[in-house]
Amino acid sequence: MHDPPTQLETAVAALRKLPTTRVLHLSPIYASKAWGKTDQQDFVNMVVEIETEIEPADLLRQVKYIEAVQGRVPGERWGPRPLDIDILLYGDQRVDAPGLVIPHPRMWERAFVLRPLADLAPDLVAPGGMPIQGLLERQDIASQGVWPSANETSDTAPIASATDRKIAE
């Protein structure tokens, strides 16, 4: 990873260029210890809320293209990569297709996803009824360690409001 905050900014700029898509909100950037394969550089993470008319499978193709442009190539699971964009939520839709499950199946157990997501959707409730803030207080999630990045983006103010939110991390 050469410059993770710049890579995030470049990815957001690419999301802004997608057809029929508006970037609505950006979370602050957070840092965390690497997940899965832990002998690598710390992660930086953020959540981007978009409004789009692109269907989920096509949106996945678009974000995979954004990753590829930034140098991501298939490799070791959880291994080093310049960029990883996941579709966390797509409004209230549920998708269970090869290569795409929405809501993201592991988002509720990862502090590096939940912390920035809570900044954009503080009233979000996980399956089973636990508010996102409650999840962040659970010992197994709180102990994962997520902290504000030293390279914080200044673009965290709302750009517009939305009723149908698609959120990517």
Side-chain angles (χ1 to χ4, degrees):
M1 280 18 94
H2 302 333
D3 183 3
T6 298
Q7 289 164 292
L8 291 176
E9 290 174 16
T10 302
V12 170
L15 289 170
R16 290 183 194 281
K17 292 178 183 176
L18 292 178
T20 66
T21 301
R22 290 186 317 146
V23 170
L24 301 175
H25 299 94
L26 305 177
S27 77
I29 298 174
Y30 290 91
S32 67
K33 291 293 179 192
W35 177 269
K37 186 176 183 325
T38 57
D39 62 339
Q40 58 182 317
Q41 181 178 350
D42 289 347
F43 290 167
V44 293
N45 298 280
M46 70 183 304
V47 171
V48 179
E49 181 180 2
I50 66 171
E51 181 177 71
T52 187
E53 294 177 21
I54 302 172
E55 291 300 317
D58 290 332
L59 182 60
L60 178 64
R61 281 189 282 283
Q62 295 280 352
V63 299
K64 293 302 170 193
Y65 177 77
I66 292 168
E67 290 177 347
V69 166
Q70 288 206 45
R72 179 155 184 189
V73 294
E76 170 181 21
R77 184 174 187 185
W78 295 323
R81 54 208 180 268
L83 185 66
D84 182 21
I85 302 174
D86 293 314
I87 302 171
L88 302 175
L89 301 165
Y90 192 97
D92 293 331
Q93 286 191 38
R94 296 195 179 285
V95 176
D96 192 354
L100 180 61
V101 177
I102 302 172
H104 189 285
R106 291 169 299 283
M107 66 184 259
W108 303 110
E109 56 198 47
R110 295 177 173 172
F112 67 84
V113 175
L114 295 172
R115 178 66 267 154
L117 180 58
D119 288 331
L120 298 188
D123 298 325
L124 190 64
V125 177
M130 173 78 70
I132 193 167
Q133 296 297 339
L135 284 174
L136 285 165
E137 294 170 5
R138 278 187 9 201
Q139 180 58 30
D140 61 321
I141 293 174
S143 65
Q144 293 174 19
V146 174
W147 57 93
S149 172
N151 299 306
E152 177 53 55
T153 179
S154 61
D155 189 8
T156 57
I159 298 167
S161 61
T163 56
D164 188 22
R165 301 189 304 194
K166 288 75 171 169
I167 300 181
E169 178 250 353

